[in-house]
Amino acid sequence: QKEVEQDPGPLSVPEGAIVSLNCTYSNSAFQYFMWYRQYSRKGPELLMYTYSSGNKEDGRFTAQVDKSSKYISLFIRDSQPSDSATYLCATLASGTYKYIFGTGTRLKVLA
Amino acid sequence: DSGVTQTPKHLITATGQRVTLRCSPRSGDLSVYWYQQSLDQGLQFLIQYYNGEERAKGNILERFSAQQFPDLHSELNLSSLELGDSALYFCASSVDGGNEQFFGPGTRLTVL
């Protein structure tokens, strides 16, 4: 079993929809959680960085961490065609330096 | 633009050869990470350096090695290349280990 699981998609939504992207993880030692956006053939771009449980909001993006169920989510409001990309979740255990990435969910926002 | 630079952008070589990938971190970042991304494996952590010293190792093959120099740039050396080494190789940097990472544009390696 992978330490971080992510549905590869693709996920297709109409423009303006609310998008929900999710990951599950198995290691309860993970304390830091990140979401990256990766356009085709480009480097991943950091979107959100959260520590422990709770919500964090930045513009149209909200990251949510539920440590009790080992579940992390990224919500995108008012989705735009420019949001079409692969979204990667990543985790890190406190005191370690080895980031674990999900395989990514491919999102397509249709105009 | 993340501020992390990688060269070359593309590299085409033959099996059995050796190549060197180069990374310059963002100004002020002391930590450098190397990742391999292939279609079937996703983003795999290879190795991390902090201020010139190796700090964490992931799924890095013995044929691969890396180092971080006093000016903080890093090089990833891949030797005895195999077809399966064809992938995107990313470098990322952060102020310190455990903080937000910022990724470079990657080097696309094709082994023929």
Side-chain angles (χ1 to χ4, degrees):
Chain A
Q1 183 191 3
K2 290 183 177 179
E3 289 186 274
V4 178
E5 299 273 4
Q6 190 173 6
D7 188 327
L11 176 64
S12 293
V13 301
E15 183 176 356
I18 296 174
V19 176
S20 172
L21 302 165
N22 309 295
C23 286
T24 57
Y25 63 94
S26 57
N27 189 343
S28 57
F30 291 146
Q31 295 282 344
Y32 299 91
F33 305 93
M34 291 137 276
W35 284 97
Y36 287 83
R37 176 175 63 196
Q38 186 176 22
Y39 292 112
S40 182
R41 297 172 179 260
K42 302 286 187 186
E45 172 194 4
L46 180 66
L47 286 176
M48 303 288 280
Y49 178 89
T50 56
Y51 171 72
S52 197
S53 281
N55 292 0
K56 185 174 182 179
E57 190 173 316
D58 184 1
R60 295 185 297 112
F61 299 93
T62 299
Q64 199 171 73
V65 176
D66 182 348
K67 293 195 72 183
S68 61
S69 56
K70 299 189 180 70
Y71 198 81
I72 55 178
S73 303
L74 178 71
F75 299 97
I76 307 174
R77 289 182 297 282
D78 187 25
S79 57
Q80 303 296 309
S82 58
D83 294 327
S84 297
T86 297
Y87 289 79
L88 301 157
C89 63
T91 64
L92 179 70
S94 182
T96 72
Y97 305 101
K98 186 180 169 184
Y99 292 76
I100 309 293
F101 281 79
T103 50
T105 299
R106 194 168 151 221
L107 171 68
K108 293 178 97 172
V109 181
L110 307 170
Chain B
D1 185 354
S2 68
V4 179
T5 60
Q6 287 187 251
T7 56
K9 273 185 134 175
H10 302 278
L11 204 47
I12 301 174
T13 188
T15 55
Q17 295 299 303
R18 173 190 168 96
V19 297
T20 297
L21 313 183
R22 183 187 167 105
C23 167
S24 291
R26 293 187 322 157
S27 176
D29 285 358
L30 298 178
S31 210
V32 167
Y33 310 76
W34 285 99
Y35 292 87
Q36 180 192 58
Q37 187 177 42
S38 54
L39 279 173
D40 57 343
Q41 290 289 323
L43 201 60
Q44 298 289 313
F45 168 72
L46 295 177
I47 198 164
Q48 183 213 358
Y49 280 82
Y50 175 77
N51 204 21
E53 292 195 9
E54 182 186 306
R55 196 180 238 186
K57 232 172 182 175
N59 303 321
I60 188 165
L61 299 171
E62 283 191 18
R63 300 183 286 109
F64 296 0
S65 65
Q67 54 184 325
Q68 187 180 26
F69 294 87
D71 67 353
L72 301 177
H73 92 271
S74 179
E75 292 181 357
L76 179 67
N77 300 295
L78 314 176
S79 61
S80 303
L81 285 168
E82 302 175 0
L83 295 177
D85 297 328
S86 296
L88 270 167
Y89 289 85
F90 287 106
C91 167
S93 75
S94 68
V95 172
D96 192 358
N99 289 341
E100 300 99 307
Q101 294 182 48
F102 296 88
F103 281 78
T107 292
R108 180 171 292 278
L109 173 66
T110 302
V111 182
L112 301 174

